[in-house]
Amino acid sequence: MGEKKAVKPYNQDNKSKKEEVAEMFNNISGRYDFLNHFLSLGIDKLWRKRAVKELREVNPKRILDIATGTGDFALSSLRLKPEEIVGVDISQGMLNVGIEKMKRKGVAEIIKMELGDSEELKFDDNSFDGITVGFGVRNFENLEKGLGDMLRVLRKGGKAVILEFSKPKKFPVKQTFGFYSKRVIPLLGKSISKDERAYAYLPESVEAFPEGKEFLDILKKVGYTDVKGIPVSGGIATIYTGVKP
């Protein structure tokens, strides 16, 4: 068997997955927030709210939001009353939208938005109490490397909370979500964002992602303890958590 080919947005031979993901998000950044909430029917807000609850027990003062995009997860984390949230993303286009959003909401002093590579974080070891990732880990080029670097910058006893799409197993959610993600989302995404591949990539990347027990096993392998997976909305998404020992 040959090596599994990486699922990429544009499948260009001369570009890495990382480069293509950055290009894709730059392309759709102007319409991303609208499309995200529209295509998820607003349920993504409830998922983030539920995910943030998982961080409460560590009383985080400093939070790192990886693959922050336009900063929605960072904004959800404000309810924990942290002193600082740092949002990191590889797409400057998405960050630009997020920076303006933080200014508009008057929280730019608390939420800092920075360009950066999730797999090579420029922060010191043990420098965050909590880490959040919303729909970002399936875009990592090297999943284990990215999860390992997250663990490095997390303090001892700190917690990572990862929200990611999964594949529902039960009728009728499985059939409904399958049709919606493979047919409706690419069609609407293409017509609104004008990027044909960006929203076709979504179901492809979800299909290729090692979800459930497989992902929990990867978290353990990398070094996280007390790992858990909490399915939400019938298994359309899962909240994964892990603690730094």
Side-chain angles (χ1 to χ4, degrees):
M1 280 177 69
E3 193 178 334
K4 204 171 177 182
K5 194 176 178 187
V7 173
K8 303 193 296 182
Y10 304 113
N11 295 315
Q12 296 165 304
D13 292 335
N14 62 336
K15 287 187 179 175
S16 67
K17 177 173 180 175
K18 197 175 293 182
E19 288 170 320
E20 288 199 20
V21 166
E23 180 184 343
M24 177 187 76
F25 282 115
N26 283 335
N27 288 345
I28 64 173
S29 58
R31 304 295 285 162
Y32 178 80
D33 276 350
F34 168 76
L35 270 167
N36 203 27
H37 302 317
F38 176 68
L39 293 174
S40 72
L41 311 175
I43 300 170
D44 60 306
K45 295 178 183 177
L46 297 176
W47 294 340
R48 274 188 286 271
K49 193 174 178 182
R50 174 68 183 81
V52 165
K53 280 185 180 175
E54 292 298 315
L55 265 188
R56 187 168 286 145
E57 64 182 29
V58 296
N59 190 27
K61 294 302 170 201
R62 196 161 187 245
I63 298 172
L64 176 63
D65 184 36
I66 288 176
T68 192
T70 64
D72 279 344
F73 216 149
L75 285 166
S76 291
S77 298
L78 285 174
R79 72 190 69 222
L80 299 174
K81 307 264 190 302
E83 292 167 6
E84 182 184 29
I85 301 173
V86 181
V88 172
D89 203 278
I90 57 171
S91 165
Q92 189 62 56
M94 295 286 277
L95 288 168
N96 291 342
V97 175
I99 289 165
E100 289 308 310
K101 190 193 290 188
M102 300 314 156
K103 287 177 185 170
R104 210 165 51 242
K105 292 181 178 290
V107 294
E109 290 301 307
I110 301 171
I111 301 176
K112 313 285 193 308
M113 309 284 278
E114 300 180 4
L115 189 67
D117 185 341
S118 304
E119 295 166 47
E120 292 179 32
L121 296 165
K122 58 186 178 183
F123 307 106
D124 293 337
D125 297 3
N126 312 304
S127 49
F128 292 95
D129 307 304
I131 293 179
T132 55
V133 195
F135 310 112
V137 292
R138 76 177 190 285
N139 295 324
F140 284 5
E141 192 157 58
N142 185 324
L143 183 59
E144 288 188 21
K145 185 182 178 190
L147 293 171
D149 213 35
M150 283 165 52
L151 188 68
R152 176 185 67 78
V153 302
L154 202 56
R155 69 154 167 86
K156 186 175 180 179
K159 193 173 187 180
V161 177
I162 298 162
L163 175 60
E164 192 50 85
F165 284 114
S166 40
K167 299 183 279 290
K169 309 293 186 289
K170 294 181 180 175
F171 177 85
V173 182
K174 177 182 177 180
Q175 288 74 10
T176 305
F177 180 69
F179 176 78
Y180 189 69
S181 67
K182 290 185 177 72
R183 298 282 185 268
V184 180
I185 287 178
L187 188 65
L188 288 175
K190 175 187 172 183
S191 64
I192 297 170
S193 74
K194 308 302 181 199
D195 188 315
E196 185 168 354
R197 280 293 304 154
Y199 287 88
Y201 166 74
L202 171 64
E204 291 168 6
S205 61
V206 171
E207 193 66 36
F209 184 70
E211 60 165 343
K213 183 181 181 301
E214 198 180 343
F215 185 66
L216 292 173
D217 287 345
I218 293 170
L219 286 173
K220 285 183 206 165
K221 179 185 174 186
V222 169
Y224 292 86
T225 59
D226 196 22
V227 300
K228 293 189 179 85
I230 308 158
V232 290
S233 297
I236 293 173
T238 302
I239 299 165
Y240 300 98
T241 65
V243 175
K244 181 167 181 174

